[in-house]
Every structure is written in structure tokens, then in C-alpha cells.
Amino acid sequence: MIKSSLVFGLYFMIFGLTNAQPNPPVPTNVTAQPFSGEHRKITVSWQAASGPWYFNVYRSMSDSLHFARIGQPDRRSFEDHGVISGRTYYYFVKSVNDSGVESGRSNIASATVGSVSGVRGTIRGTIIDDSTALPLRSVRVRFFRQSNMWSEEYDVTDSLGRYEAELDTGRYLIRAEPTFQPNSSQNYRAEWFDNVLEPSAATMVFVGNGTVLTANFGLRRIVVVRNSVINGTVRNEQGQPIMNATVAVMRSIQQMNYLAATTGQTPGLGSEARTLSGIGYSRGVMWNGTTDSQGRFHAEVPENGSYIVAAGKSGFLLQYFDQTTDPTRARIIVAMNDTSGVNFALRARVSSPNSIQGVVMDSTITPVPSRVILFPRPPNGQPPTQVAHSNGDGTYEFTDVPAGTYTILAVPFSNYSFGFYKQGQFGISQWQIADSIVAAGGVSGVTVGVVQIHSNGLVRLSGTSSTSSGQPLPGGRIVVKNLLGEIVGAGVSTGSGGYSIDALPAGQVTMVVDREPYNWEQVAVNIPPNTYYISNINVVLTAAPTSVGNDAAMPAEFALAQNYPNPFNPVTTIHYSLPSDAHVSLRVFDVLGRQVVSLVDEKIKAGEQSLVFNAQNLSSGIYYYNLSAGGFVAVRKMLLLR
């Protein structure tokens, strides 16, 4: 296998794609609003014309001379939590297009933070290049409190490499997280105080009332790795080569989630964000090019990376390796050596007048760029019908959709969890709960709601997902929630069924695992303080009934699903399956075995059934719900938290 940067460069020049990007506009009307309380912050807001760009927020402390970038949001506002009472901060904003080109800077806004309540101390320091002793700007410094291993406080170094944070009293671990610059030789590795790479070896520091501690860092540059080659062919289903098909090698979903969770940044932007012909808007793109007359492609990517590969062309359906339309089930390539045989067999589009259009956004009406998947409903083990990449503004469109009933799933590129379409709701991670879309003509206005992931902890949770027959379950979607119902982690199981979720907090969390055509499962996990790794949290998913909602097929057996959400406050949904008409008794009991409410006591028709249980008149605690139907009896536990 030949590795030649010259050959690669010529190939890219001949076959690579160039994407002219619009010039980003200069943001206007930047304002800075301070908030003082138990947790002080400054909210920076601005205006900018709509378009496929994100923003760089710059800050200087005490003067308007030492600016450094502190954030890179998609939305037109940013909350700066790394501020200290009594200090004045200055801000300006630049917009950035997908090629990483910045606009001119906005006006400068300033704000002074008032006093805060609580007993506090200060940690300050300077961060430099370990070899040159030059200061490093825009390094994020996070502080993890020992009691819950959760980072609520951070600061970002200015142009002199300085940081300063005001913290509640207690014991902390400190981590310096440099900003990653794609295609740059000036990248640095993250480091824990004092000069270690793992939190388990880090030095714990104590912050007392009124104390001022110094924690300096000298960061080492990341050694530039050599490249590996990924090559293969793109053909049609008849085996004929497809010329000028677009191929993209991207960071895997698992790696994008890891980077977002462990750095507190949005990965895959700058030069890694591109709009590709036949594929669409993508983040985390490490290489892209087009096939030659024989349908061949040759990609060079950094060695030891974790990648997925996609291929597309007008007139064909987008596909991931290994021949799947579901990116969560794409085969992961670890480029430790040159890899060949990454081949595609694209399916031609079949003309249809049906289309589905919409947008992916969060509850603040912020668009979220995503991969969007169209599943047949009921699933019956069928693969997804199509996958489409949304535009940079979160809008998506499926065309040439066969007549039928579908479910839509959004898989954001990073920083947000998975979300199924359910009208007016956000963060629905179970396909059984999702609303159906009937493809008949042009369907528009389908808004898929997703929610942000709050990854600020230190714990890695790992295990396997498998079927009841013991087979590994690739593409299992894992969502982890804390007791408040916030999503604190998300991930996808690999082809071997393995998964790992990073940056979780200590305490009680609930892990929900879902994948069609299986029943979802959830597991409660207690994470003790001072814990960094929890393994062997294994989940087995059982086959779901073949029907959902009003679909024609009936469930194969009686079943009672775990309520969701759980824990809940005070409303939760209970699902059960009836293969035939039956008299149903569904009752709720307390821990002493006393019935507290009867939810159902009547004859119910066969099919998938669900009801909403409102526990507003009950106190916090553990309850059990019991289903009796046609000789079938099942009991499940649920937790009400107020």
C-alpha cells in the first residue's frame, strides 16, 4: 500500500470537492447582562443575519486589551459562568462560516459582576507552552468538586495565559483543556493538576474561605500522527462503478460524543464542517473526495482515529459503510493501518411524489444540525428507508419517499441527544412513543425536538447491549439522565454491542437503552463519589411486538413496559401490549402493598396500549404497578421524586 502525500494531494486537487461558503456577517448590538446570586454569570447576546454559521465569543477581564475566545455557540447568546464578583468583563463576537472564516468583530460590550452569597475562595494561575514558556490563550480550565465529581465552574485563559476562578469552599480537581484547532500543529493535550493525564492521579486542592491558591500548567504539544489510507469503491446495486460519487470520512458518533463530553466544546467545526454534494452538511469531516471512473476512492486520515464513512450522489440514496442507511449502525473503522475494502453499493432512488420536510431544533427554537433518519412503522426489523443530513440551519428534507407510515429520528452531530418526532415535545428517545408520519404527497413543518447534553462529570460508564438470544446489538441508543431528568450523557453501541458514556456525575442516574424493533430497557445506576470508571453495566433488549399505536399488526405476546420517564415528577407514561382482547387490571401499590390507585379495570382491545399516570396527590417514594390480563401478570417498580 503506497502512502504518498504528493499522490494524495494531486488526487484531492483533481477529485476533491470545493465548497464556496457565504461570507459571515458581522454581529451587531452585542450586550452583556450580569447576574449575581449563588452562581454568578454574564449573559452575552447579539444579533446576526440568519445563515449556516456559528459564533466565536471573545472576552477580556478588567480591560479591553487581552481578549481570548471563550465560547463557540450555535445560538445568538452565550452564558459566561467563568466570572468573579467585583470584576468588569469586556466582550465582542465574530460569526464563522463552515470553512472557519471569521467575520469582522462586533461592538464591545461590558458588564460588572456584583457580590455573591456563600463562603468562597479563589484559584488562579497561568498556563504556558511547556517547551517555549509562551502563554496559551483560550485554554478552558474546569474545577471538579470532590463531593459529586461535577464541574459547575470554569474559566478561560486570556492572551497572557491567565485564569482566575471564585469557588465555593471544598476540595477540587483542576483540568486544563486547550481548544483543538483542526489541521494545526499547535494543538496541546489536556492535563490535570499537577502534570498528569488521568483524574485518578490528579492532585486534589482545598479551597477555604478567603484563600487564594495558585495552580499553574505547562502543556505539551500533541505529536503530529502519521496518516493511514482508507480506500474502496462505490458501485450501484448491479455492480457498476459510479463516477464522481462523494465519499466522506468522518469522526464516529462515539468520538464526537466523547470530544463534546470531555472538552466542553462543540467538536467538528471549522475546517471539519462542510457541505458535501450527495451527502449534505456534515461535521467532523476528516477527508472528503470523489470517485474516479472506476468508482474508486483513496482517503488519507490521521492514524488511530475512529471513523465512519459515507457515500452519496444525486439520484442515489445516501449510505454508510457497511451498506446501512442508519449512521448509528455504521461500521467503525479504526485506522491503525491502511484499510481497504470499504465498498458501497448505492441504491438508486425510485421516483415518488411523496416528501417530508421539517427542522430539528431545541426548546429555545435554536436549530440543531443533525443526521435525520426515516424509519418504517411498524419496524418489523426493516432497515431505515432513508437518511438525510440537515442543512447547517437544521432544516431537512426527504424526497422520493415510498407511500407508507414512518417515524423520524434526529441524531445531532454532537452536544445534543437523540430525538424522535413527537409533536410539541423534545428529547423523546423511545421509538414506541414517537408520533407517526404518513407519507402522502408533500408533508412539511415536521419539527423534531432534541435536548442538550449536560456533560460536566468525570465518570465513564461502560458495558454491552445485546438481544435476548445473546447477540450483540449494534446501534443501541443510550441516554443517561440524572434525578432531575436532565440528560447528562448519550452514546451508541458499536458492532460488538459495546458502549461507553463519558463525563457523568456521581450520584443516582438512569440509563435508557432503545433500538427498533426492540422494547426499550432502563437501568438505575448508583455512582459513588470519587469514582472514575464503572464497567459491566450490561443491558439485554427483548423483541418488541410488531405493532405500534394504530398499526394493523398485533403484538405477539402480553407485555408490560417500564414506565417513562422514571424517576418522574409527577407525570409518567405506562405502556403495555395485548395480543388479544382481554379484561385488564392495572393498579398502583405503595411499598407496603397497599393499593393507591386503580388505573384500568375493564375489557381492552388487542394492540399496543399506553396511559399517562399523574401522581400529583402522592408523596415521593417507590411505587409498584401491577398488570393482570388474560392470565398474564407482571409487576414493575417506579420512583416518584418531588
Side-chain angles (χ1 to χ4, degrees):
M1 187 69 65
I2 298 176
K3 290 192 192 177
S4 168
S5 58
L6 177 60
V7 172
F8 170 73
L10 290 173
Y11 184 90
F12 188 85
M13 290 173 63
I14 296 172
F15 296 108
L17 297 175
T18 57
N19 299 290
Q21 298 292 333
N23 291 327
V26 177
T28 59
N29 298 325
V30 176
T31 61
Q33 180 65 43
F35 172 82
S36 296
E38 183 179 356
H39 299 289
R40 64 257 170 267
K41 65 181 179 180
I42 293 177
T43 300
V44 184
S45 303
W46 59 91
Q47 296 177 356
S50 60
W53 31 72
Y54 52 97
F55 302 92
N56 284 340
V57 180
Y58 292 84
R59 184 193 74 185
S60 179
M61 182 176 69
S62 300
D63 59 42
S64 57
L65 301 175
H66 301 98
F67 285 98
R69 190 179 71 188
I70 63 168
Q72 202 169 55
D74 290 306
R75 62 189 68 192
R76 287 159 175 77
S77 66
F78 176 79
E79 290 188 351
D80 182 9
H81 293 268
V83 295
I84 296 177
S85 57
R87 299 294 179 90
T88 300
Y89 294 85
Y90 298 81
Y91 302 87
F92 67 78
V93 182
K94 295 182 178 182
S95 54
V96 191
N97 66 17
D98 290 345
S99 297
V101 176
E102 284 190 320
S103 71
R105 78 180 194 179
S106 68
N107 62 292
I108 295 178
S110 64
T112 301
V113 183
S115 61
V116 296
S117 59
V119 181
R120 294 175 178 263
T122 300
I123 298 178
R124 62 173 60 150
T126 302
I127 300 181
I128 61 173
D129 181 308
D130 198 34
S131 59
T132 66
L134 293 175
L136 298 178
R137 71 164 69 193
S138 300
V139 177
R140 181 184 175 101
V141 186
R142 288 203 285 171
F143 308 91
F144 295 83
R145 191 163 185 169
Q146 182 186 29
S147 58
N148 56 10
M149 312 310 289
W150 181 267
S151 170
E152 295 181 349
E153 309 287 351
Y154 70 90
D155 196 21
V156 179
T157 57
D158 63 14
S159 61
L160 298 179
R162 303 172 302 186
Y163 75 90
E164 185 173 10
E166 188 177 55
L167 307 170
D168 291 335
T169 58
R171 295 186 179 276
Y172 292 86
L173 297 179
I174 312 171
R175 189 172 194 250
E177 300 172 344
T179 301
F180 178 78
Q181 304 292 338
N183 302 319
S184 172
S185 61
Q186 302 297 316
N187 286 308
Y188 297 83
R189 70 180 189 183
E191 186 177 295
W192 294 89
F193 184 75
D194 189 12
N195 195 34
V196 295
L197 300 181
E198 294 293 332
S200 56
T203 300
M204 188 82 67
V205 299
F206 176 73
V207 176
N209 184 26
T211 60
V212 178
L213 303 177
T214 299
N216 298 323
F217 291 82
L219 302 186
R220 297 182 183 179
R221 291 189 185 183
I222 297 174
V223 178
V224 178
V225 297
R226 63 191 185 117
N227 284 338
S228 289
V229 171
I230 297 175
N231 60 26
T233 60
V234 180
R235 302 178 182 273
N236 61 22
E237 288 187 296
Q238 290 72 45
Q240 300 166 325
I242 301 177
M243 183 179 178
N244 291 329
T246 302
V247 180
V249 181
M250 298 172 281
R251 297 182 187 274
S252 68
I253 295 174
Q254 290 86 342
Q255 187 183 46
M256 291 285 279
N257 286 342
Y258 171 80
L259 291 173
T262 57
T263 68
Q265 302 174 24
T266 301
L269 297 177
S271 62
E272 293 184 11
R274 307 175 194 176
T275 300
L276 306 175
S277 175
I279 295 178
Y281 179 82
S282 304
R283 290 181 178 175
V285 179
M286 304 303 292
W287 178 91
N288 68 278
T290 55
T291 54
D292 63 15
S293 60
Q294 301 300 310
R296 299 172 301 192
F297 69 92
H298 303 269
E300 283 200 15
V301 292
E303 197 171 53
N304 295 324
S306 171
Y307 306 106
I308 57 177
V309 186
K313 187 178 181 181
S314 177
F316 294 88
L317 295 177
L318 173 61
Q319 188 180 101
Y320 292 86
F321 181 70
D322 190 7
Q323 299 190 28
T324 177
T325 46
D326 184 348
T328 67
R329 303 186 213 180
R331 181 175 169 183
I332 295 175
I333 299 172
V334 179
M336 298 181 65
N337 299 293
D338 292 353
T339 303
S340 59
V342 181
N343 303 325
F344 295 84
L346 300 187
R347 287 194 300 145
R349 288 183 175 272
V350 178
S351 179
S352 168
N354 305 319
S355 64
I356 301 175
Q357 299 175 328
V359 63
V360 183
M361 63 175 56
D362 65 17
S363 59
T364 67
I365 320 301
T366 297
V368 180
S370 306
R371 303 172 177 97
V372 188
I373 310 172
L374 191 65
F375 289 101
R377 188 172 183 131
N380 293 327
Q382 302 174 60
T385 302
Q386 289 188 38
V387 60
H389 286 209
S390 75
N391 295 327
D393 59 3
T395 59
Y396 68 89
E397 180 179 17
F398 295 105
T399 59
D400 299 314
V401 178
T405 304
Y406 298 93
T407 303
I408 298 176
L409 172 68
V411 182
F413 288 104
S414 66
N415 299 79
Y416 286 82
S417 185
F418 321 102
F420 277 99
Y421 165 67
K422 190 172 183 64
Q423 186 174 10
Q425 297 194 35
F426 298 84
I428 300 300
S429 61
Q430 294 82 26
W431 63 269
Q432 295 97 329
I433 305 176
D435 286 347
S436 297
I437 298 290
V438 178
V443 180
S444 60
V446 182
T447 299
V448 184
V450 294
V451 297
Q452 277 191 300
I453 302 171
H454 300 279
S455 299
N456 289 318
L458 286 180
V459 182
R460 170 176 293 178
L461 186 68
S462 63
T464 62
S465 63
S466 61
T467 67
S468 55
S469 62
Q471 296 298 311
L473 187 69
R477 299 179 296 270
I478 300 112
V479 174
V480 182
K481 297 186 177 184
N482 62 18
L483 292 179
L484 298 177
E486 298 171 324
I487 295 180
V488 294
V492 180
S493 60
T494 65
S496 64
Y499 73 88
S500 65
I501 313 293
D502 290 277
L504 298 177
Q508 186 78 24
V509 298
T510 299
M511 184 176 73
V512 181
V513 185
D514 178 65
R515 208 205 85 178
E516 59 294 318
Y518 300 92
N519 292 309
W520 80 72
E521 191 60 63
Q522 65 180 29
V523 178
V525 181
N526 181 47
I527 303 175
N530 302 322
T531 300
Y532 303 101
Y533 306 101
I534 292 184
S535 58
N536 297 320
I537 304 299
N538 304 324
V539 181
V540 176
L541 270 61
T542 58
T546 57
S547 170
V548 179
N550 296 321
D551 296 321
M554 288 294 108
E557 59 185 1
F558 290 98
L560 176 63
Q562 184 66 52
N563 66 301
Y564 185 83
N566 187 41
F568 66 101
N569 178 24
V571 176
T572 189
T573 301
I574 299 173
H575 295 261
Y576 59 96
S577 307
L578 304 177
S580 59
D581 296 356
H583 187 277
V584 173
S585 172
L586 182 59
R587 297 175 292 170
V588 178
F589 298 85
D590 63 18
V591 292
L592 298 179
R594 298 173 299 194
Q595 179 177 315
V596 296
V597 64
S598 176
L599 300 176
V600 180
D601 189 12
E602 59 182 309
K603 188 173 184 179
I604 303 295
K605 289 185 175 296
E608 291 292 332
Q609 307 294 336
S610 66
L611 57 86
V612 175
F613 171 43
N614 191 330
Q616 63 180 355
N617 296 323
L618 300 179
S619 58
S620 296
I622 295 174
Y623 293 88
Y624 298 88
Y625 56 104
N626 174 288
L627 175 72
S628 298
F632 172 81
V633 178
V635 178
R636 286 192 179 258
K637 181 170 66 174
M638 56 185 171
L639 177 61
L640 171 62
L641 285 178
R642 292 187 178 279

